[in-house]
Amino acid sequence: MRPALPWPSTLRARIFLILFVGLVLAYGLSFTVLYLERYMSAKAVMLGTLENDVATSIAVLDRLPAGDRAGLVDRLSRGNYRFVLGEGLPGVPDTSLRSAEIAARIEEAVGHRFPLRVEAIPGDVMRLQAHLTLSDGNPLTIDITPRGIMPLADWLPYVFIVQMALLVLCAWYAVRQAVRPLETLAAAADALDPNRPGLPLGETGPSEVAHAASAFNAMRGRIAHYLEERVQILAAISHDLQTPITRMRLRADMADDTPERDKLVRDLGEIERLVQDGIAYARSAHGNGEKPSRIDLSSFIDSIAYDYQDMGKAVAVLGTVSGTVATKPHALRRILTNFVDNALKFGGSAEIGVERGRDGGTVITVFDQGPGIPEDKLEAAMQPFFRLEQSRNRETGGSGLGLAIAQQLAVSLGGAVRLYNRPGGGLAAEVSLS
């Protein structure tokens, strides 16, 4: 089976190829039709001239005395044929279609009065000789050199090249006009972030492009509205639950000291933590309105580590931290404390490292010695309310919102959060700042 012809992968190349091939075929067809029409016109002119002139010339020669014919032969000759008194050159029978057509025209011209025999003269060019006998018995030969199509002008190839260049230019411009709005729309879709206000897509250009841009802007507005509505619902529910939880907590504290009371207090505490995390997640979606400021990384990271160390937690700083960074300190602190809390909860200890990224930004990573997260669940771990069923289940506490809150806050900082398993075991949670 023959392999299929390669097909370009981009829409730009496909449209250009289709237009270019179509234009070349159409132009080639037009050129072929023009060439054939020119050939047929030249052929008709040649045969028509041959028929009319030969009939007149043979009639004149037939009526002249044999001695007067030699002086008139050259004057009766034309560019593509001449008359020769005598048998002419030896030739071979020619049965080609063109020879038969020329012979038929000459016979028709002389009115079938003289028997005619057409032979081909061997040589590099096509040459025919028609032999006939005049009324007085003297032979007459018509030496014919058929002309093909009239020669092409020297400037015609240059015109063809210019026309092809114009075809390529027009095809490229048409493709550019058709594909550029798609590229703009794709770039806008890649940059779409409902949590960040951005400039709307320009609604200019052809009606179809303007309509697509208008529909995209409306879609972006609806997505942002739906997300904001979802966050508001979550914040409202979490906020409204605080009051009945507080009343239940007070009533439980006033109840008799029994095992059931202790279980109820623990359940209420867990519900209260869930509500607080829900409110924190709702607030993190909008960055909490904090303004950026420049902080000293060394003092900032050390203060976080000291706070945990004062509580007897195994939190250390790797290496020496230096430099400053412009960020939102409270949001960054919340991100790192979420990372450290997870590291302590599932690994027993935490290490904080800082390094410069390849793009010149700052990368802060929290390492632990825990069981890590399966590779196929690393991405899902960033989703709200996600908890692993084994090592990070509900028995260990947590609402499944810590990493989701960290990710939301990182977006508000213009950064990103990434999780990966360490080669030697444990999990690494990093936040990159631009």
Side-chain angles (χ1 to χ4, degrees), residues 52-66:
N52 296 329
D53 292 353
V54 166
T56 304
S57 299
I58 292 177
V60 171
L61 292 174
D62 187 56
R63 288 180 172 83
L64 284 176

Side-chain angles (χ1 to χ4, degrees), residues 284-306:
S284 67
H286 299 283
N288 204 21
E290 184 182 1
K291 295 183 179 180
S293 61
R294 183 165 293 277
I295 60 173
D296 180 74
L297 277 177
S298 178
S299 300
F300 184 79
I301 298 298
D302 286 342
S303 67
I304 294 177
Y306 292 156

